[in-house]
Amino acid sequence: MKEKPLRLHKYIEEVRRINLGSRKTYQIRTFGCQMNENDSEKIAGVLEEMGYLAASDNEIPDFILFNTCCVRENAEQKVFGHLGVLKKQKEKKESLIIALCGCMMQQAGTLDKIKKSYRHADIVYGTNKSHLLPQYLYTLLTTGQKQYFAEPVDQEIIEGQPVKRESSIKAYVPIMYGCNNFCSYCVVPLVRGRERSRKKDDIINEINSLVAEGTKEVTLLGQNVNSYDSDGDFTELLYLIDRQCDIKRIRFMTSHPKDISSRLIQAIHDIDKVCNHLHLPLQSGSTKVLSEMNRKYDKDRYLAIISEAKQMVPEIGLSTDIIVGFPGETDDDFEDTLDVLEKCEFDFAYTFLYSKRRGTPAASRKDQITKEVKGERFEKLLEKQNSITLKKNLSFVGSTVKVLVEGASKTDKEILTGRDEANKIINFKGSPDLIGEIVNVKITSAKTWHLEGETNENI
Ligand code: 5AD
Ligand code: SF4
């Protein structure tokens, strides 16, 4: 049954009342993608409404939450590893409340494992349920009963949750949730449910309130942003945001090649606010592997999209995701991936070793690739991409780019850091007054992971 906001508000008030007069602290550890980061900002928002303060690094908090990811096995292992350590902390501080939420909790078998081996967890719930955290917390605090929930993925979108943003300069704005694509290696559709889009008005209102608070850049988020569908498609949404929001910069991720249209590329070109950057996961360069991955495009189509994007927006920054060692991947298939890498010349690639995920079709294939072969291919891929990234970065030396200044370096307060439209990290000397501004920076040198430059805008 759908909870009424008023009832939820009551739980927030009740927990706040319980906490009144004592200093209660929280800590959130986020694993995985930007969607999880945004969910954690909402959880922080509701915790602060309930009277919790962010814990400092040298104290054991009163409430600790792991927002988990299960896209690859190593993310899961990390959570169980950290959970083991928390047992010791709970022995030191008996009142510590341990909560687990997110994708991993939505997987069959995880809750049983927690019940059996990690009984020190107090609250467990899956994706899309953080608005119920006040109720879980209240029930735990008043009855002492563990709150364990492993329910089917909830399809409804909850609007109006408080958000405690990590940055005052840039913000994530989810525009759609879930995924309908069922790529054969991927667990996301199983743990995040079917695609559902937020209403345009809700998105516009959120961006406008961010603008009023001084935010300069929004990143529109979704597992598959360009399949956004709510009284218009994603391209229309971009034009609408352009018309109705005074935001300086718009980014979006992740796009799926099957849903890229010429209209969308044209919009990147036409709308000044939309950054010249496209994150377009390739996953594999082999048409055979792409078909087995259920990606719904082939090598030639992917190359055609990239060439159209480069033609229409010559200064576009390109990034991608690549999986190495999908079951049945031959040396020739891998060569196709290297070939696409060379032809596209991505500015950056996130590279992953294929990881078997319970419940996905690829996991039950008999032709899994050995660890050694995966490792060798991964190293080759990384080496090739790093040299492409460095070559592309070097080509920027001498040019001037627009940088949104995000902050100062942790080690040297005089060094400012930010990103250009293509999403490259740029470091340069400047006054802290420039933080939050978009400034022209002339690139003076290039490394693999960042560029260095100088500006005269603070003189
Ligand atoms: N193994 C390795 N990488 C994966 N990804 C998704 N599922 C898996 C898996 N089972 C990668 C894809 C996706 C990114 C977010 O994670 O490249 O684009
Ligand atoms: Fe996973 Fe494919 Fe959906 Fe991306 S598009 S979340 S890789 S199923």
Side-chain angles (χ1 to χ4, degrees), residues 10 16 75-76 95 101 103 111-112 123 135 142 162 183-184 188 212 217 228 265 284 292 333 363-364 405 422 446:
K10 190 191 101 180
R16 202 182 164 81
E76 271 188 342
S95 63
C101 72
C103 295
L111 187 58
D112 289 339
I123 299 176
Q135 180 181 337
T142 52
C183 297
S184 63
V188 168
E217 178 182 296
Y228 176 85
I265 300 173
S284 167
E292 291 173 6
D333 293 323
S364 52
V405 188

Side-chain angles (χ1 to χ4, degrees), residues 71-72 185-186 281 283 321-323 352-355 357:
V71 167
R72 284 169 296 277
Y185 51 83
C186 185
Q283 312 300 7
D321 292 347
I322 294 172
I323 299 175
F352 306 107
L353 289 166
Y354 167 73
S355 169
R357 300 287 67 205

Side-chain angles (χ1 to χ4, degrees), residues 295-358:
R295 290 290 291 175
K296 303 183 182 85
Y297 56 89
D298 61 12
K299 178 181 178 184
D300 288 344
R301 171 68 190 138
Y302 189 91
L303 289 172
I305 298 168
I306 295 297
S307 114
E308 187 181 0
K310 283 183 177 175
Q311 218 171 355
M312 256 199 252
V313 191
E315 62 281 22
I316 198 157
L318 295 168
S319 54
T320 196
D321 292 347
I322 294 172
I323 299 175
V324 175
F326 182 79
E329 183 188 69
T330 62
D331 284 340
D332 283 351
D333 293 323
F334 179 62
E335 285 302 318
D336 270 327
T337 301
L338 295 178
D339 186 43
V340 176
L341 228 61
E342 262 172 36
K343 292 195 163 106
C344 294
E345 294 201 305
F346 299 108
D347 295 84
F348 191 78
Y350 298 87
T351 49
F352 306 107
L353 289 166
Y354 167 73
S355 169
K356 258 168 108 173
R357 300 287 67 205
R358 277 197 308 280

Side-chain angles (χ1 to χ4, degrees), residues 54-305:
S56 63
D57 288 345
N58 47 16
E59 66 182 329
I60 300 177
D62 296 285
F63 178 91
I64 186 158
L65 176 133
F66 287 174
N67 190 1
T68 64
C69 167
C70 58
V71 167
R72 284 169 296 277
E73 194 185 356
N74 55 3
E76 271 188 342
Q77 282 167 345
K78 264 192 223 159
V79 170
F80 283 124
H82 285 301
L83 206 47
V85 176
L86 275 193
K87 195 167 184 183
K88 296 249 156 16
Q89 298 211 341
K90 197 153 179 158
E91 280 163 11
K92 277 193 209 148
K93 183 172 180 173
E94 214 185 314
S95 63
L96 168 64
I97 295 171
I98 299 171
L100 302 164
C101 72
C103 295
M104 206 175 134
M105 303 305 127
Q106 210 72 59
Q107 277 193 302
T110 305
L111 187 58
D112 289 339
K113 186 167 172 175
I114 289 166
K115 280 184 183 161
K116 199 161 152 238
S117 312
Y118 300 91
R119 287 293 298 177
H120 52 295
D122 301 292
I123 299 176
V124 178
Y125 63 91
T127 52
N128 308 321
K129 288 277 196 292
S130 287
H131 58 289
L132 297 179
L133 179 59
Q135 180 181 337
Y136 301 152
L137 198 50
Y138 173 77
T139 315
L140 174 77
L141 288 169
T142 52
T143 67
Q145 273 168 17
K146 298 217 178 267
Q147 301 292 296
Y148 288 172
F149 299 93
E151 292 166 349
V153 188
D154 204 336
Q155 300 292 324
E156 79 182 307
I157 294 178
I158 309 291
E159 292 292 347
Q161 297 181 68
V163 192
K164 166 92 190 320
R165 308 265 179 192
E166 284 287 319
S167 160
S168 59
I169 297 165
K170 50 184 203 167
Y172 292 126
V173 175
I175 61 163
M176 51 100 60
Y177 299 93
C179 180
N180 291 352
N181 293 320
F182 292 95
C183 297
S184 63
Y185 51 83
C186 185
V187 77
V188 168
L190 309 180
V191 294
R192 286 209 171 257
R194 296 295 68 74
E195 286 177 7
R196 56 244 185 239
S197 298
R198 283 179 77 191
K199 290 196 182 75
K200 284 176 183 164
D201 283 352
D202 290 327
I203 297 168
I204 297 285
N205 289 342
E206 181 171 352
I207 297 176
N208 279 335
S209 39
L210 284 164
V211 171
E213 287 161 19
T215 302
K216 301 287 166 36
E217 178 182 296
V218 290
T219 301
L220 309 176
L221 282 187
Q223 257 72 40
N224 189 3
V225 276
N226 51 340
S227 74
Y228 176 85
D229 178 19
S230 173
D231 192 22
D233 68 5
F234 180 60
T235 306
E236 287 168 52
L237 178 69
L238 286 181
Y239 282 106
L240 189 74
I241 297 172
D242 180 40
R243 283 196 304 275
Q244 299 198 357
C245 306
D246 192 18
I247 188 84
K248 294 275 182 263
R249 278 183 168 185
I250 304 165
R251 296 187 186 277
F252 56 88
M253 70 187 304
T254 294
S255 303
H256 193 302
K258 82 176 170 52
D259 297 312
I260 289 278
S261 61
S262 301
R263 281 173 56 241
L264 175 55
I265 300 173
Q266 188 69 49
I268 301 175
H269 171 269
D270 287 351
I271 307 172
D272 277 350
K273 292 171 191 161
V274 174
C275 287
N276 294 325
H277 174 229
L278 183 62
H279 179 70
L280 196 66
L282 165 69
Q283 312 300 7
S284 167
S286 153
T287 291
K288 182 203 88 188
V289 173
L290 285 171
S291 155
E292 291 173 6
M293 285 178 162
N294 192 29
R295 290 290 291 175
K296 303 183 182 85
Y297 56 89
D298 61 12
K299 178 181 178 184
D300 288 344
R301 171 68 190 138
Y302 189 91
L303 289 172
I305 298 168

Side-chain angles (χ1 to χ4, degrees), residues 26-74:
Y26 74 93
Q27 187 186 75
I28 298 175
R29 295 199 198 158
T30 309
F31 299 82
C33 65
Q34 290 85 356
M35 196 59 97
N36 265 13
E37 285 176 34
N38 182 253
D39 286 343
S40 291
E41 290 180 332
K42 289 180 183 152
I43 297 165
V46 83
L47 284 169
E48 296 205 357
E49 286 214 342
M50 290 188 287
Y52 287 90
L53 303 167
S56 63
D57 288 345
N58 47 16
E59 66 182 329
I60 300 177
D62 296 285
F63 178 91
I64 186 158
L65 176 133
F66 287 174
N67 190 1
T68 64
C69 167
C70 58
V71 167
R72 284 169 296 277
E73 194 185 356
N74 55 3

